[in-house]
Protein backbone atom coordinates (compact mmCIF):
# COMPACT_ATOMS: atom_id res chain seq x y z
CA UNK A 1 0.00 0.00 0.00
CA UNK A 2 1.99 2.89 -1.22
CA UNK A 3 -0.46 5.69 -0.56
CA UNK A 4 -2.54 5.45 2.66
CA UNK A 5 -4.61 8.59 2.16
CA UNK A 6 -5.57 7.75 -1.47
CA UNK A 7 -6.49 4.26 -0.32
CA UNK A 8 -8.74 5.61 2.45
CA UNK A 9 -10.42 8.05 0.07
CA UNK A 10 -11.23 5.40 -2.57
CA UNK A 11 -12.05 2.67 -0.10
CA UNK A 12 -14.93 4.74 1.30
CA UNK A 13 -16.33 5.20 -2.18
CA UNK A 14 -16.43 1.54 -3.16
CA UNK A 15 -20.19 1.08 -2.47
CA UNK A 16 -20.97 4.08 -4.72
CA UNK A 17 -18.66 2.65 -7.41
CA UNK A 18 -20.59 -0.63 -7.28
CA UNK A 19 -23.90 1.20 -7.41
CA UNK A 20 -22.70 3.16 -10.44
CA UNK A 21 -23.41 6.54 -8.90
CA UNK A 22 -19.91 8.07 -9.10
CA UNK A 23 -19.08 10.78 -11.66
CA UNK A 24 -17.00 9.57 -14.59
CA UNK A 25 -13.78 11.24 -13.40
CA UNK A 26 -13.99 9.44 -10.05
CA UNK A 27 -14.86 6.14 -11.73
CA UNK A 28 -11.66 6.26 -13.76
CA UNK A 29 -9.61 7.28 -10.76
CA UNK A 30 -10.99 4.49 -8.59
CA UNK A 31 -10.36 1.94 -11.35
CA UNK A 32 -6.76 3.09 -11.49
CA UNK A 33 -6.48 2.71 -7.72
CA UNK A 34 -8.08 -0.78 -7.83
CA UNK A 35 -5.42 -1.99 -10.24
CA UNK A 36 -2.73 -1.41 -7.64
CA UNK A 37 -4.59 -2.21 -4.41
CA UNK A 38 -5.41 -5.79 -3.47
CA UNK A 39 -7.28 -4.77 -0.26
CA UNK A 40 -9.70 -2.64 -2.26
CA UNK A 41 -10.15 -5.35 -4.89
CA UNK A 42 -11.12 -7.83 -2.16
CA UNK A 43 -13.54 -5.37 -0.65
CA UNK A 44 -14.97 -4.59 -4.06
CA UNK A 45 -15.81 -8.27 -4.53
CA UNK A 46 -17.65 -8.24 -1.17
CA UNK A 47 -19.65 -5.20 -2.20
CA UNK A 48 -20.43 -6.75 -5.56
CA UNK A 49 -21.72 -9.94 -3.87
CA UNK A 50 -23.87 -7.82 -1.58
CA UNK A 51 -25.22 -5.77 -4.48
CA UNK A 52 -26.05 -8.87 -6.52
CA UNK A 53 -27.83 -10.45 -3.55
CA UNK A 54 -29.83 -7.26 -2.91
CA UNK A 55 -30.79 -6.94 -6.56
CA UNK A 56 -31.95 -10.54 -6.94
CA UNK A 57 -33.88 -10.28 -3.65
CA UNK A 58 -35.62 -7.14 -4.94
CA UNK A 59 -36.30 -8.79 -8.30
CA UNK A 60 -37.85 -11.81 -6.56
CA UNK A 61 -40.26 -9.56 -4.70
CA UNK A 62 -41.15 -7.47 -7.69
CA UNK A 63 -44.74 -7.86 -8.80
CA UNK A 64 -45.75 -6.77 -12.24
CA UNK A 65 -48.52 -4.21 -12.09
CA UNK A 66 -51.50 -4.90 -14.33
CA UNK A 67 -51.46 -2.65 -17.39
CA UNK A 68 -53.44 0.60 -17.27
CA UNK A 69 -57.02 -0.16 -18.22
CA UNK A 70 -57.90 0.94 -21.76
CA UNK A 71 -60.83 2.85 -20.28
CA UNK A 72 -58.53 4.90 -18.04
CA UNK A 73 -56.04 5.33 -20.85
CA UNK A 74 -58.75 6.66 -23.16
CA UNK A 75 -60.20 8.99 -20.54
CA UNK A 76 -56.76 10.48 -19.85
CA UNK A 77 -56.29 11.66 -23.40
CA UNK A 78 -59.88 12.56 -24.29
CA UNK A 79 -61.19 16.12 -24.11
CA UNK A 80 -64.42 16.36 -22.11
CA UNK A 81 -67.65 16.99 -23.99
CA UNK A 82 -69.53 20.24 -23.40
CA UNK A 83 -71.99 18.45 -21.14
CA UNK A 84 -69.23 16.96 -19.04
CA UNK A 85 -67.43 20.29 -18.84
CA UNK A 86 -70.61 21.95 -17.57
CA UNK A 87 -71.22 19.14 -15.08
CA UNK A 88 -67.69 19.36 -13.74
CA UNK A 89 -67.95 23.16 -13.52
CA UNK A 90 -71.19 22.79 -11.53
CA UNK A 91 -69.50 20.24 -9.27
CA UNK A 92 -66.56 22.58 -8.76
CA UNK A 93 -68.90 25.43 -7.86
CA UNK A 94 -70.90 23.19 -5.56
CA UNK A 95 -67.75 21.96 -3.84
CA UNK A 96 -67.05 25.53 -2.73
CA UNK A 97 -70.23 25.57 -0.67
CA UNK A 98 -68.26 24.28 2.32
CA UNK A 99 -66.14 27.44 2.29
CA UNK A 100 -69.04 29.79 1.76
CA UNK A 101 -71.15 28.28 4.53
CA UNK A 102 -68.74 29.97 6.95
CA UNK A 103 -69.01 33.31 5.17
CA UNK A 104 -72.66 33.50 4.22
CA UNK A 105 -74.51 34.05 7.53
CA UNK A 106 -72.58 37.26 8.23
CA UNK A 107 -72.99 38.44 4.65
CA UNK A 108 -76.75 37.84 4.71
CA UNK A 109 -77.08 39.63 8.06
CA UNK A 110 -75.32 42.76 6.79
CA UNK A 111 -77.37 42.77 3.59
CA UNK A 112 -80.61 42.45 5.56
CA UNK A 113 -79.54 45.50 7.59
CA UNK A 114 -79.17 47.36 4.29
CA UNK A 115 -82.67 46.32 3.25
CA UNK A 116 -84.07 47.39 6.63
CA UNK A 117 -82.27 50.73 6.34
CA UNK A 118 -83.77 51.31 2.92
CA UNK A 119 -87.22 50.41 4.26
CA UNK A 120 -86.75 52.88 7.12
CA UNK A 121 -85.99 55.65 4.60
CA UNK A 122 -88.89 54.57 2.39
CA UNK A 123 -90.30 58.02 1.58
CA UNK A 124 -86.91 59.58 1.09
CA UNK A 125 -85.67 60.04 -2.51
CA UNK A 126 -82.34 58.63 -1.27
CA UNK A 127 -83.96 55.46 0.01
CA UNK A 128 -81.64 53.25 -2.07
CA UNK A 129 -78.57 54.63 -0.21
CA UNK A 130 -78.24 51.83 2.41
CA UNK A 131 -78.51 49.19 -0.31
CA UNK A 132 -76.01 51.03 -2.48
CA UNK A 133 -73.65 51.57 0.45
CA UNK A 134 -73.64 47.99 1.76
CA UNK A 135 -74.17 45.47 -1.05
CA UNK A 136 -71.12 46.27 -3.23
CA UNK A 137 -68.60 46.41 -0.40
CA UNK A 138 -69.94 43.26 1.28
CA UNK A 139 -69.60 41.44 -2.03
CA UNK A 140 -66.13 42.86 -2.75
CA UNK A 141 -64.71 41.99 0.67
CA UNK A 142 -66.18 38.47 0.52
CA UNK A 143 -64.71 38.02 -2.94
CA UNK A 144 -61.32 39.31 -1.82
CA UNK A 145 -61.07 36.73 0.94
CA UNK A 146 -62.32 33.83 -1.12
CA UNK A 147 -58.90 32.97 -2.42
CA UNK A 148 -56.07 33.22 0.04
CA UNK A 149 -53.97 30.77 1.99
CA UNK A 150 -54.57 32.64 5.25
CA UNK A 151 -58.31 33.07 4.97
CA UNK A 152 -59.38 29.97 3.09
CA UNK A 153 -60.72 27.31 5.48
CA UNK A 154 -60.24 24.72 2.75
CA UNK A 155 -56.76 25.84 1.71
CA UNK A 156 -55.10 22.52 2.52
CA UNK A 157 -57.55 20.71 0.30
CA UNK A 158 -57.11 23.36 -2.38
CA UNK A 159 -53.33 23.11 -2.20
CA UNK A 160 -53.52 19.35 -2.60
CA UNK A 161 -55.84 19.53 -5.60
CA UNK A 162 -54.47 20.09 -9.06
CA UNK A 163 -57.09 22.63 -10.09
CA UNK A 164 -56.40 25.91 -11.81
CA UNK A 165 -56.44 28.88 -9.44
CA UNK A 166 -58.56 30.74 -11.93
CA UNK A 167 -61.15 27.97 -12.01
CA UNK A 168 -61.39 27.93 -8.22
CA UNK A 169 -61.55 31.69 -7.88
CA UNK A 170 -64.31 31.87 -10.47
CA UNK A 171 -66.22 28.94 -8.98
CA UNK A 172 -66.30 30.66 -5.60
CA UNK A 173 -67.00 34.01 -7.17
CA UNK A 174 -70.01 32.56 -8.97
CA UNK A 175 -71.37 31.01 -5.80
CA UNK A 176 -70.89 34.00 -3.47
CA UNK A 177 -72.13 36.54 -6.01
CA UNK A 178 -75.15 34.39 -6.81
CA UNK A 179 -75.95 34.09 -3.10
CA UNK A 180 -75.54 37.84 -2.51
CA UNK A 181 -77.54 38.75 -5.61
CA UNK A 182 -80.39 36.41 -4.56
CA UNK A 183 -80.55 37.98 -1.08
CA UNK A 184 -80.42 41.45 -2.60
CA UNK A 185 -83.11 40.67 -5.18
CA UNK A 186 -85.37 39.43 -2.40
CA UNK A 187 -84.64 42.56 -0.35
CA UNK A 188 -85.21 44.88 -3.32
CA UNK A 189 -88.48 43.16 -4.10
CA UNK A 190 -89.63 43.67 -0.49
CA UNK A 191 -88.55 47.33 -0.61
CA UNK A 192 -90.32 47.82 -3.92
CA UNK A 193 -93.56 46.28 -2.63
CA UNK A 194 -93.51 48.31 0.59
CA UNK A 195 -92.43 51.65 -0.90
CA UNK A 196 -93.84 51.40 -4.41
CA UNK A 197 -90.41 52.28 -5.88
CA UNK A 198 -89.56 50.95 -9.32
CA UNK A 199 -87.96 47.52 -8.83
CA UNK A 200 -85.66 47.83 -11.86
CA UNK A 201 -84.09 51.10 -10.71
CA UNK A 202 -83.69 49.76 -7.15
CA UNK A 203 -81.84 46.73 -8.51
CA UNK A 204 -79.71 48.77 -10.91
CA UNK A 205 -78.60 50.97 -7.99
CA UNK A 206 -76.73 48.16 -6.26
CA UNK A 207 -76.12 45.60 -9.02
CA UNK A 208 -73.79 47.69 -11.20
CA UNK A 209 -71.51 48.85 -8.36
CA UNK A 210 -71.61 45.36 -6.82
CA UNK A 211 -70.31 43.73 -10.00
CA UNK A 212 -67.74 46.46 -10.64
CA UNK A 213 -66.32 46.48 -7.12
CA UNK A 214 -66.26 42.66 -6.95
CA UNK A 215 -64.40 42.53 -10.24
CA UNK A 216 -61.86 45.03 -8.90
CA UNK A 217 -61.55 42.93 -5.72
CA UNK A 218 -60.87 39.82 -7.83
CA UNK A 219 -58.08 41.48 -9.80
CA UNK A 220 -56.43 42.89 -6.67
CA UNK A 221 -56.73 39.61 -4.74
CA UNK A 222 -55.21 37.58 -7.56
CA UNK A 223 -52.47 40.11 -8.30
CA UNK A 224 -51.65 40.97 -4.67
CA UNK A 225 -53.31 39.67 -1.50
CA UNK A 226 -56.78 39.41 -0.03
CA UNK A 227 -55.94 42.03 2.60
CA UNK A 228 -54.72 44.56 0.04
CA UNK A 229 -57.75 43.89 -2.13
CA UNK A 230 -60.24 44.26 0.73
CA UNK A 231 -58.44 47.37 2.02
CA UNK A 232 -58.35 49.14 -1.35
CA UNK A 233 -62.00 48.33 -2.11
CA UNK A 234 -63.12 49.41 1.34
CA UNK A 235 -61.22 52.70 1.16
CA UNK A 236 -62.51 53.41 -2.34
CA UNK A 237 -66.11 52.61 -1.52
CA UNK A 238 -66.16 54.47 1.81
CA UNK A 239 -64.76 57.52 -0.01
CA UNK A 240 -67.42 57.37 -2.73
CA UNK A 241 -70.28 56.83 -0.29
CA UNK A 242 -69.08 59.60 2.06
CA UNK A 243 -68.85 62.02 -0.87
CA UNK A 244 -72.34 60.99 -1.94
CA UNK A 245 -73.66 61.51 1.60
CA UNK A 246 -72.03 64.96 1.80
CA UNK A 247 -73.51 65.87 -1.56
CA UNK A 248 -76.97 64.74 -0.41
CA UNK A 249 -76.51 66.88 2.68
CA UNK A 250 -76.05 69.89 0.37
CA UNK A 251 -72.27 70.11 0.74
CA UNK A 252 -70.79 68.56 -2.42
CA UNK A 253 -67.02 67.96 -2.55
CA UNK A 254 -66.96 67.41 -6.29
CA UNK A 255 -68.38 69.39 -9.16
CA UNK A 256 -69.39 66.04 -10.62
CA UNK A 257 -72.63 64.83 -9.06
CA UNK A 258 -72.64 61.32 -7.59
CA UNK A 259 -76.42 61.25 -7.26
CA UNK A 260 -76.94 59.23 -10.47
CA UNK A 261 -75.47 56.32 -8.49
CA UNK A 262 -78.76 56.19 -6.56
CA UNK A 263 -80.87 55.95 -9.69
CA UNK A 264 -78.59 54.98 -12.55
CA UNK A 265 -79.84 55.21 -16.10
CA UNK A 266 -79.01 52.60 -18.71
CA UNK A 267 -75.80 54.34 -19.73
CA UNK A 268 -74.29 54.34 -16.23
CA UNK A 269 -75.51 50.80 -15.53
CA UNK A 270 -74.20 49.53 -18.87
CA UNK A 271 -70.87 51.29 -18.27
CA UNK A 272 -70.52 49.58 -14.91
CA UNK A 273 -71.24 46.18 -16.47
CA UNK A 274 -68.69 46.71 -19.25
CA UNK A 275 -66.02 47.88 -16.79
CA UNK A 276 -66.73 44.86 -14.56
CA UNK A 277 -66.47 42.50 -17.53
CA UNK A 278 -63.12 44.03 -18.53
CA UNK A 279 -61.75 43.67 -15.00
CA UNK A 280 -62.86 40.04 -14.80
CA UNK A 281 -61.27 39.35 -18.14
CA UNK A 282 -58.05 40.86 -16.76
CA UNK A 283 -58.23 38.72 -13.62
CA UNK A 284 -58.80 35.62 -15.73
CA UNK A 285 -55.64 36.49 -17.67
CA UNK A 286 -53.77 37.00 -14.40
CA UNK A 287 -54.97 33.70 -12.95
CA UNK A 288 -54.46 31.63 -16.06
CA UNK A 289 -51.63 29.21 -15.67
CA UNK A 290 -51.22 30.03 -11.99
CA UNK A 291 -51.53 26.41 -10.88
CA UNK A 292 -52.84 25.89 -7.45
CA UNK A 293 -49.92 24.47 -6.44
CA UNK A 294 -50.39 20.91 -5.99
CA UNK A 295 -47.28 20.29 -4.03
CA UNK A 296 -46.60 23.86 -2.97
CA UNK A 297 -45.44 23.75 0.61
CA UNK A 298 -46.99 26.54 2.61
ZN1 LIG B 1 -7.05 0.59 -1.70
Amino acid sequence: MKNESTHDAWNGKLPFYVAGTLPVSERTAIQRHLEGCETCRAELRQWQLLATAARSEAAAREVLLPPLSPVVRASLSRRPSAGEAVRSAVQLVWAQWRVLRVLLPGVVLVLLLGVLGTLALRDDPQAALPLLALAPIVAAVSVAFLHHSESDPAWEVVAATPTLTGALVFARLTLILTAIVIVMLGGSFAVSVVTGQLLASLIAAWLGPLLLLSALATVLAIRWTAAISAGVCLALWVTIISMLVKELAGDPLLTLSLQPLLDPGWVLFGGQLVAAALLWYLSLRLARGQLVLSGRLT
Side-chain angles (χ1 to χ4, degrees):
M1 250 175 271
K2 35 185 180 177
N3 195 330
E4 269 316 305
S5 68
T6 331
H7 169 77
D8 285 343
W10 294 125
N11 190 268
K13 291 193 173 176
L14 283 173
F16 304 101
Y17 174 69
V18 172
T21 53
L22 287 182
V24 184
S25 59
E26 293 195 5
R27 280 190 72 81
T28 348
I30 207 170
Q31 274 159 1
R32 218 173 298 131
H33 172 76
L34 281 164
E35 283 163 19
C37 178
E38 174 53 34
T39 322
C40 279
R41 279 206 299 276
E43 239 176 88
L44 176 68
R45 282 191 289 276
Q46 296 295 316
W47 281 115
Q48 276 164 340
L49 279 176
L50 199 61
T52 314
R55 281 183 194 129
S56 62
E57 174 72 13
R61 287 166 186 261
E62 194 176 80
V63 181
L64 274 183
L65 287 174
L68 205 56
S69 129
V71 179
V72 174
R73 211 185 275 275
S75 76
L76 283 176
S77 52
R78 195 174 48 89
R79 291 183 67 86
S81 71
E84 285 168 333
V86 168
R87 205 174 321 131
S88 102
V90 170
Q91 279 168 353
L92 183 62
V93 170
W94 186 244
Q96 311 307 316
W97 171 245
R98 215 183 289 254
V99 177
L100 299 188
R101 214 169 39 187
V102 184
L103 207 62
L104 267 186
V107 166
V108 169
L109 190 70
V110 176
L111 293 179
L112 286 180
L113 286 177
V115 172
L116 287 177
T118 294
L119 282 174
L121 292 172
R122 60 171 83 176
D123 297 324
D124 212 292
Q126 299 116 34
L129 185 60
L131 287 183
L132 173 67
L134 285 176
I137 193 59
V138 167
V141 171
S142 313
V143 163
F145 281 99
L146 280 182
H147 170 63
H148 195 254
S149 57
E150 282 161 29
S151 52
D152 184 345
W155 182 254
E156 284 180 25
V157 179
V158 170
T161 314
T163 308
L164 289 175
T165 305
L168 270 180
V169 170
F170 282 90
R172 293 177 175 185
L173 202 59
T174 308
L175 201 58
I176 188 81
L177 287 186
T178 306
I180 291 176
V181 166
I182 288 173
V183 174
M184 289 301 296
L185 286 176
S188 306
F189 182 71
V191 170
S192 158
V193 168
V194 173
T195 66
Q197 289 187 63
L198 199 61
L199 183 60
S201 75
L202 263 178
I203 292 173
W206 55 262
L207 187 57
L210 182 151
L211 294 175
L212 185 50
L213 207 60
S214 307
L216 180 65
T218 312
V219 172
L220 296 177
I222 291 178
R223 183 66 186 78
W224 288 285
T225 67
I228 290 178
S229 168
V232 169
C233 290
L234 201 61
L236 183 67
W237 197 241
V238 166
T239 308
I240 291 176
I241 294 298
S242 337
M243 289 197 301
L244 176 59
V245 168
K246 271 190 90 72
E247 184 185 328
L248 292 173
D251 182 16
L253 292 169
L254 301 172
T255 44
L256 177 80
S257 172
L258 292 172
Q259 284 206 48
L261 279 175
L262 285 170
D263 188 11
W266 284 110
V267 176
L268 180 56
F269 184 60
Q272 288 168 337
L273 294 192
V274 170
L278 287 175
L279 283 172
W280 265 316
Y281 176 71
L282 175 65
S283 64
L284 203 56
R285 296 287 306 258
L286 284 174
R288 185 177 297 169
Q290 220 185 71
L291 248 192
V292 177
L293 327 187
S294 42
R296 178 163 115 183
L297 301 170
T298 43

